[in-house]
Amino acid sequence: MNRDVPLKKYAKKMEHSYAMGAFPTIELLKHQPEHVLKVLLHPDMNSQAQMEIISGLCTQHGIPLERNGKAVEKLRDKENIFAVGVFEKYSNVLEPEKNHIVLVNPSDMGNMGTIIRTSIGFGIENLAIIEPGVDVFNPKVVRASMGSLFQLNFCYFKSFEEYKEQAGSRSLYPFMLKGAVPLQELQREKGETYSLIFGNEATGLPDSFADEGQSVVIRHTDHIDSLNLALATGIGIYEFTR
């Protein structure tokens, strides 16, 4: 592991990324310590409790801890960020026996981070992203997820067909404005393994997804045309896990 990486603003082509802020950095250290290259602290950091947690985890895992105000100021995009976890990008695989969230061509980083946080919060720890899709390693996604990304199994797929080939036997539930069954009326088999499928923020799922499993619609008034993707995903996750 080469810990001497260039500390510059994030770009997708880079082989490392950053957890911005004390809490996401702590989550990184707790759940992916083997991928952490170093942790940077700003001298203005004033939370003794967070500093002790970060220091303890760095010592436990043999991770360099640097007090480097200039580097933190160079990397951060908000003045209230005083800790930065520098980590190498990594890959993982989905668990075929577990429930999945599937996002088809997601494009908004804030939505992605919120969906990851909600998914982890309700116990769904596997996320499939159908390309093209937002970069989960972008620091804005990491921060929006509040570090929940580091508890997630995620995998990118070139097509939905490729995902199905690797996902194993499961029930498919595409969420669509033209869905056949309202979410509140949906009848499901107890103990089934499922995938909840959501489309792009702008266009939703293509009509062809109506033939994939049981299509579902979240009913709402005619005063809006659709729900925000992160909100729709949260409603679906809540109903399926409650």
Side-chain angles (χ1 to χ4, degrees):
M1 182 187 298
N2 178 20
R3 300 183 189 274
D4 188 23
V5 294
L7 298 176
K8 57 185 180 180
K9 289 286 188 179
Y10 177 77
K12 187 175 181 178
K13 64 182 180 180
M14 291 164 49
E15 295 182 355
H16 68 279
S17 185
Y18 310 107
M20 299 285 188
F23 190 82
T25 297
I26 290 169
E27 291 296 291
L28 169 66
L29 290 167
K30 284 181 176 178
H31 301 289
Q32 299 292 337
E34 66 274 22
H35 298 298
V36 185
L37 302 174
K38 64 179 70 176
V39 174
L40 309 172
L41 292 183
H42 195 282
D44 289 345
M45 185 173 179
N46 56 13
S47 173
Q48 187 63 33
Q50 289 179 329
M51 283 192 288
E52 288 178 0
I53 293 171
I54 291 172
S55 178
L57 288 168
C58 286
T59 299
Q60 177 184 341
H61 297 292
I63 296 167
L65 179 62
E66 298 180 13
R67 293 199 176 264
N68 191 332
K70 288 185 178 181
V72 172
E73 291 170 7
K74 180 180 178 180
L75 297 173
R76 69 187 183 184
D77 55 5
K78 291 188 175 181
E79 290 189 1
N80 62 348
I81 292 173
F82 301 109
V84 177
V86 185
F87 65 96
E88 61 179 355
K89 294 181 179 180
Y90 57 90
S91 60
N92 47 35
V93 296
L94 304 187
E95 299 168 292
E97 74 280 6
K98 297 293 182 65
N99 300 320
H100 298 171
I101 301 298
V102 182
L103 301 180
V104 179
N105 313 139
S107 61
D108 185 273
M109 289 183 284
N111 278 340
M112 176 65 84
T114 300
I115 290 167
I116 290 170
R117 187 180 182 188
T118 303
S119 185
I120 292 297
F122 286 94
I124 301 181
E125 300 174 348
N126 291 267
L127 172 66
I129 304 164
I130 310 304
E131 297 178 323
V134 68
D135 173 18
V136 296
F137 286 123
N138 190 293
K140 292 181 180 179
V141 175
V142 177
R143 187 169 64 216
S145 81
M146 288 300 289
S148 297
L149 171 68
F150 304 122
Q151 299 181 59
L152 185 75
N153 295 313
F154 61 87
C155 190
Y156 284 84
F157 297 90
K158 290 183 172 59
S159 67
F160 185 70
E161 288 67 30
E162 181 186 16
Y163 164 73
K164 287 197 296 182
E165 290 175 2
Q166 300 183 31
S169 178
R170 60 184 51 248
S171 301
L172 302 177
Y173 294 98
F175 281 66
M176 310 176 66
L177 290 175
K178 299 179 182 178
V181 179
L183 177 60
Q184 299 90 326
E185 300 173 13
L186 181 65
Q187 301 294 317
R188 301 192 293 117
E189 292 185 19
K190 190 174 182 179
E192 69 178 345
T193 302
Y194 56 79
S195 293
L196 308 185
I197 308 161
F198 298 87
N200 177 273
E201 289 88 346
T203 59
L205 289 173
D207 290 345
S208 60
F209 276 82
D211 299 324
E212 301 286 355
Q214 176 61 69
S215 63
V216 180
V217 59
I218 301 174
R219 295 289 189 203
H220 54 72
T221 71
D222 294 334
H223 298 298
I224 59 171
D225 59 353
S226 63
L227 295 171
N228 169 271
L229 174 60
L231 180 57
T233 306
I235 291 171
I237 290 171
Y238 175 77
E239 283 292 330
F240 270 73
T241 59
R242 71 188 178 97

